[in-house]
Amino acid sequence: AQYVPAMNAVFSAQRLDVPVDALALRAADGSQPESTLFQQAAHLTGGVYLGTRALSGASPDALLPLLISVFLLDTSVRSAFRIPAPVEVDFRATCFVTKRAIDLGWTCSVCLSTFAAHRILCPTCGARFPIAPRSLPPPPAPRKRVAPD
């Protein structure tokens, strides 16, 4: 629900050279997907993202040393330590209705929300789009005038 303000904060952090680090604690059975928002935030700002894949197989006692050795390091000394390799980031847009990544979709021209299918009313800002561009009928063919006899 707060995707646009969160991404605005990420872009501000990027402009100010402030890294955004993220640790995603999810269900151990893998039933929840990785957080694309936090992946993108860490990638765009030069921060570190650790998700469930990086933590799989680690004991609960390893969490505190991981937090200290990865997230408390100053950015100037991170290169001297073994930081987990960055994950492959999914840069696809997320549908604001289904919350799924989409390859191709519609974007509201008012609030920049993205959707998997065309909508007449934007659920985010209420803007109205009564006719989809592809559903417009073709223009009528010009009629030939017949000269009177």
Side-chain angles (χ1 to χ4, degrees):
Q2 300 298 321
Y3 179 80
V4 173
M7 285 308 292
N8 286 337
V10 169
F11 294 137
S12 296
Q14 182 184 32
R15 182 170 286 170
L16 296 171
D17 288 329
V18 175
V20 174
D21 297 333
L23 174 65
L25 298 175
R26 301 271 182 175
D29 61 1
S31 62
Q32 296 172 317
E34 296 286 339
S35 171
T36 56
L37 172 69
F38 290 130
Q39 285 178 353
Q40 292 172 2
H43 178 78
L44 291 172
T45 61
V48 176
Y49 173 82
L50 289 180
T52 53
R53 290 187 194 112
L55 298 173
S56 62
S59 71
D61 297 334
L63 184 59
L64 182 61
L66 179 73
L67 292 172
I68 292 171
S69 65
V70 174
F71 294 112
L72 290 182
L73 292 177
D74 189 52
T75 55
S76 62
V77 296
R78 284 186 180 181
S79 61
F81 289 86
R82 295 185 100 198
I83 305 275
V87 296
E88 187 174 318
V89 181
D90 185 5
F91 285 106
R92 294 181 297 169
T94 302
C95 175
F96 277 52
V97 175
T98 64
K99 306 296 185 221
R100 294 188 181 147
I102 54 175
D103 293 317
L104 185 65
W106 296 84
T107 301
C108 174
S109 60
V110 176
C111 68
L112 303 179
S113 298
T114 54
F115 306 102
H118 178 265
R119 305 183 84 62
I120 293 175
L121 183 68
C122 175
T124 305
C125 69
R128 296 188 62 77
F129 304 104
I131 300 176
R134 293 184 186 198
S135 65
L136 291 174
R143 293 180 142 187
K144 290 186 180 180
R145 288 192 163 190
V146 178
D149 290 339

